[in-house]
Amino acid sequence: MLLAIDAGNTNIKFALVNDDGTPRSRWRMATDARRTADEYAVWLLRLIELEGVKREDVTDVAVATVVPRALYNIQTLATKYFGVEAAIAGRSPFDWGIALDVEEPQSVGADRACNAIAAHAAHAGDLIIISFGTATTVDHVDFNGAYKGGIIAPGLNLSLDALVAATAKLPRIAIEAPKGKSVIGRTTESQMLIGIYWGYVSMIEGLVTRMKAEIGRPVQVIATGGLAALFQQHSHLFDAVDADLTLKGLSLLWRRSVKVPIS
């Protein structure tokens, strides 16, 4: 059984992956580059046990990370507690297998490459992939599956944190969809919520519209990331939402690299 690990800037996601490549069980913890392999193990092995899976059932570990400082302890987790060498996405022989058609292909984040792999495998034609994380990325994957580039914008929580930190009187608020359709807030909190939420919706609408015009072909919009569900009710924004896109891409990349038949 494969243990897939997606180490992002805010959270590290762990998943046991079924033989057909779909995540079976998923867990996440806050990213901390100082966390040791032993700390990961105390937490993770207990969760695996609660799923009725034995440690020895995990025969492979695949990792995609945008946090280089966290990699050593994740690799140590794999060797010390599962007895395997972790396969690292983007490193030979675990290469991407897709064209990274940008000026600096080495700078493309592992999560974005995995998203491209999974989205192209599941959807035909040109794609726009929106990933809501610490940063919000909007990427173009063409009909051949090549990653063509994209956009990086501050994530929703990052934007809110900056707003609160830079002002003396604005409170910290929970991010949620505003009630009703009015964009004229009657309280400080409602005005902040409208500004953050509808401002973000407007940004995504504008960026997608501009990107579609530049691509010039029919495009499907795929959303992923922890905050994708927050905007899912505005179904006109996305053609599909897949919270497991990165993990699926990592699993698919691993299966191709080790030549496991893909059903």
Side-chain angles (χ1 to χ4, degrees):
M1 180 177 292
L2 173 67
L3 173 64
I5 303 174
D6 170 25
N9 288 297
T10 301
N11 290 303
I12 300 181
K13 282 78 71 180
F14 298 81
L16 295 175
V17 180
N18 292 320
D19 291 341
D20 64 359
T22 59
R24 163 182 169 171
S25 305
R26 311 160 190 78
W27 310 281
R28 64 176 60 207
M29 71 189 320
T31 300
D32 183 347
R34 299 168 299 175
R35 202 182 308 275
T36 67
D38 302 323
E39 290 175 299
Y40 286 127
V42 167
W43 174 82
L44 181 61
L45 293 177
R46 177 57 177 158
L47 291 171
I48 290 175
E49 179 185 326
L50 289 172
E51 288 294 316
V53 177
K54 298 178 181 178
R55 184 193 312 192
E56 53 267 28
D57 292 335
V58 176
T59 56
D60 294 275
V61 176
V63 182
T65 182
V66 295
V67 187
R69 288 180 57 214
L71 184 56
Y72 172 78
N73 283 307
I74 293 174
Q75 289 176 298
T76 303
L77 169 71
T79 55
K80 182 176 181 180
Y81 289 97
F82 296 102
V84 299
E85 292 289 333
I88 312 303
R91 295 188 181 180
S92 181
F94 201 39
D95 295 322
W96 297 123
I98 61 171
L100 301 179
D101 189 12
V102 291
E103 292 184 7
E104 298 175 339
Q106 71 280 1
S107 70
V108 176
D111 53 347
R112 301 170 83 176
C114 287
N115 287 344
I117 291 168
H120 178 68
H123 305 277
D126 283 81
L127 305 171
I128 292 174
I129 304 169
I130 306 174
S131 179
F132 295 94
T134 307
T136 294
T137 57
V138 186
D139 293 318
H140 173 214
V141 177
D142 74 7
F143 55 90
N144 288 317
Y147 175 81
K148 306 295 285 186
I151 299 164
I152 301 173
L156 196 61
N157 282 305
L158 197 61
S159 299
L160 181 58
D161 288 345
L163 178 63
V164 172
T167 55
K169 296 181 68 176
L170 294 183
R172 186 168 298 279
I173 61 172
I175 298 175
E176 58 185 2
K179 295 178 175 61
K181 296 183 179 180
S182 176
V183 293
I184 302 175
R186 306 273 293 173
T187 67
T188 298
E189 289 82 358
S190 66
Q191 291 170 23
M192 291 176 65
L193 190 57
I194 289 167
I196 287 289
Y197 186 86
W198 287 116
Y200 225 75
V201 169
S202 297
M203 180 189 77
I204 294 300
E205 288 175 333
L207 292 177
V208 168
T209 297
R210 288 174 177 269
M211 191 175 281
K212 283 182 174 180
E214 187 169 335
I215 294 169
R217 296 182 294 270
V219 180
Q220 294 187 75
V221 180
I222 315 301
T224 190
L227 292 172
L230 182 65
F231 300 101
Q232 189 172 1
Q233 59 190 286
H234 298 284
S235 57
H236 67 279
L237 287 174
F238 316 130
D239 295 295
V241 176
D242 189 342
D244 291 326
L245 197 65
T246 309
L247 290 170
K248 288 178 180 177
L250 177 59
S251 170
L252 185 57
L253 176 62
W254 173 81
R255 291 162 68 83
R256 289 172 175 171
S257 297
V258 299
K259 296 180 173 58
V260 175
I262 300 172
S263 57

